[in-house]
Amino acid sequence: MSALPKLEPLLLTLFWRRSVWKPRSLLLLLLVGVDVLGAVFSGQVAPFGYRSAYDQLAADAVFGFLLPFSALQVGTAVVRDEVESGTIGYLLMRPLTRGSILLSRFLGGVGVVMGLTTLALVLNALVMGQAPIGELPRVLAAALLGAAAYTAVFCALGVVLKRPFVVGVLFLLFFELPVSRLPMVARAITIRSNVENLAGVAPETKTLGILMDVQVAPMTSFLVVTGVLAVAMALAVAVFERKEYTPDASA
Amino acid sequence: MSTVSSSAAAVSTGTVTLQDVSRWYGHVIALNNVSLEIKPGLIGLLGPNGAGKTTLLRLITGQLRPTTGQVTVLGESAYDGIAYRRQVGYCPEHDYFYDEMTGFDFVTTMTALHGFSKSEARERAQAALEEVRFPLAEGSGTKPISTYSKGMRQKVKVAQALAHDPKLIVLDEPLNGADPLSRHHIMELCKRLGQRGYTVVISSHVLHEVEAVTREFILIDKGRLVAEGTVSAIRDLIDRHPHRIDVVASDARALGSVLVRQAFTASLHVTSERQLTVETPRPDQCYQGLPKLAAEAGVRLLGVSSADNSLEAVFRYLTGSR
């Protein structure tokens, strides 16, 4: 079994290699481009409710849209891509545990999402010229955690459901995005608001009224996001280890 | 690994052992209480479409879990075992590929995922593709798989199943779509591997091609194991069933009137003035007695043949699908 540790990186790079050729990669790069265009214009206007225009763009465009949407695209594909192309059988027949197959591909997915998010955040900073470069490592660290948590949630959906993308869109549109802008502590149950909190780019509460005046400690946000990540991946691995995946029995 | 499978492996000399294996898809049974042992050599898995061949192969390769029973491969539970997978090569029936890859790249990647270094995986991929006569020299190895013909895809699938030198090679309908020359090469390759001591399981519904390279068969139909063993052993099984012998004679009716009185004749049909069909549970007696009986009847015997000598006929007998 000495060669087994070498196989997980191979699976990870296989995921990346395949991702390059997917139409969704082009779509996600286009979204980064749109975000950068937004940065060009955002630099010209005053921020609303944020410390700076960079914070506003990071919160609304990157953490509110690009990060969750790219995680949706990539996370749901961690397993479904292989099932739909019928190649899952090849992977499951390799001398690897199912858990390590899933985790390797999940890490590949986090890498893709993080790469896109980093590209957007760094380009935004460069284009706007007014970004707090010193705070970029904190923003990127929060983004990494957010990328992992979102990808884990969508990976779990991809493992459990036959149509994970639709459920993922509903989750983003009717839970993550609206609840993360709710007043009161309710928003702290969303990944987005906790990632913003960790990155230090959350809307300034005092401008939005007393009901928003509930601050969540960064440690609490960290625990919520890592908790979501851990629970989602535990569920995904547990189901993946039990579920049979063959091209005509994939449901 | 469970205690049951360990003990099964301990008493078994086979590469693959199935003990009372059933597999259901919802309310549909795909494999019904199958027990068998597969030993080294080339074995043909035969059955009509929908018989349960692919389900059986997926159980053997650990892609499916049996609903009941135990599948043991090289001493490990097929579904839960990990280490044995390095010794298993599988060629699926359908074309499942990373289409954006080249054939060479695909086989290299699949081989590397068995734990070989990149350089060794490349060498093995090259050797396996050459072994299946994939046209590497003509540059096909550098083109995306999506541009390949059906026959080339088939060769790539077979090559990836062989490249890591597995002890157990499972090929699900490997001849589908292959041109006649490729079919011949693939079957000869399987035959050589079987002779070298590998366990090669090849499923097919094209009986004569498999019959040409092996005498060991597993016959399944409607999820049930119909028969297993050599052709002669299987033929012994069907001796309970009447064989059909077609006779051409100068006067079929006259010959029929003699034949119908013989003990070996189960039934007799005169199909034309010169042709009749005898159904007999003792074909040897029938063949031996025919010339003498024809002479007694004053009939000239013009030809004797049996449609039941092929494996296809054996299969028809055993499955009752005449």
Side-chain angles (χ1 to χ4, degrees), chain A residues 125-207:
Chain A
L126 294 174
V127 168
M128 294 173 83
Q130 58 180 57
I133 296 296
E135 290 179 17
L136 205 52
R138 180 187 173 184
V139 175
L140 289 175
L144 177 60
L145 207 54
Y150 272 122
T151 307
V153 168
F154 295 125
C155 173
L157 287 179
V159 170
V160 174
L161 303 173
K162 204 172 180 182
R163 301 268 181 273
F165 192 83
V166 176
V167 177
V169 168
L170 295 175
F171 168 73
L172 288 181
L173 290 182
F174 295 104
F175 179 75
E176 270 290 306
L177 300 185
V179 175
S180 65
R181 287 296 174 264
L182 275 183
M184 300 178 294
V185 79
R187 63 198 159 114
I189 62 173
T190 64
I191 299 171
R192 178 192 178 182
S193 68
N194 284 295
V195 172
E196 287 173 348
N197 194 28
L198 285 169
V201 298
E204 290 186 327
T205 55
K206 63 185 179 185
T207 60

Side-chain angles (χ1 to χ4, degrees), chain B residues 33-151:
Chain B
N33 200 32
V34 170
S35 294
L36 60 87
E37 189 174 283
I38 299 173
K39 293 178 179 173
L42 175 57
I43 294 110
L45 173 62
L46 300 170
N49 288 329
K53 299 190 296 292
T54 297
T55 296
L56 178 60
L57 297 184
R58 285 179 178 163
L59 285 163
I60 289 171
T61 52
Q63 295 176 73
L64 291 176
R65 189 192 287 115
T67 310
T68 60
Q70 283 279 339
V71 183
T72 309
V73 179
L74 297 164
E76 284 190 76
S77 160
Y79 190 81
D80 299 316
I82 299 295
Y84 87 90
R85 290 167 194 261
R86 198 173 286 178
Q87 299 297 336
V88 178
Y90 174 62
C91 167
E93 178 183 1
H94 299 291
D95 285 352
Y96 303 131
F97 289 112
Y98 300 129
D99 274 338
E100 69 279 3
M101 286 187 184
T102 66
F104 180 71
D105 221 4
F106 180 75
V107 180
T108 303
T109 303
M110 291 295 111
T111 308
L113 281 170
H114 273 292
F116 294 100
S117 68
K118 198 173 177 182
S119 59
E120 193 172 357
R122 288 174 69 87
E123 283 170 21
R124 284 175 171 273
Q126 172 126 9
L129 286 165
E130 283 170 356
E131 185 130 43
V132 298
R133 310 223 177 164
F134 182 84
L136 272 174
E138 294 158 33
S140 297
T142 57
K143 291 176 186 165
I145 294 173
S146 56
T147 64
Y148 288 1
S149 68
K150 174 77 180 167

Side-chain angles (χ1 to χ4, degrees), chain A residues 79-166:
Chain A
V79 170
R80 300 308 308 180
D81 267 3
E82 297 290 338
V83 175
E84 283 168 7
S85 64
T87 46
I88 186 84
Y90 292 122
L91 301 185
L92 296 179
M93 287 188 56
R94 264 50 201 172
L96 282 160
T97 64
R98 284 176 168 234
S100 60
I101 292 171
L102 185 70
L103 288 172
S104 305
R105 294 180 59 81
F106 161 72
L107 288 176
V110 173
V112 172
V113 176
M114 190 55 203
L116 289 163
T117 308
T118 303
L119 187 64
L121 288 168
V122 171
L123 286 176
N124 286 354
L126 294 174
V127 168
M128 294 173 83
Q130 58 180 57
I133 296 296
E135 290 179 17
L136 205 52
R138 180 187 173 184
V139 175
L140 289 175
L144 177 60
L145 207 54
Y150 272 122
T151 307
V153 168
F154 295 125
C155 173
L157 287 179
V159 170
V160 174
L161 303 173
K162 204 172 180 182
R163 301 268 181 273
F165 192 83
V166 176

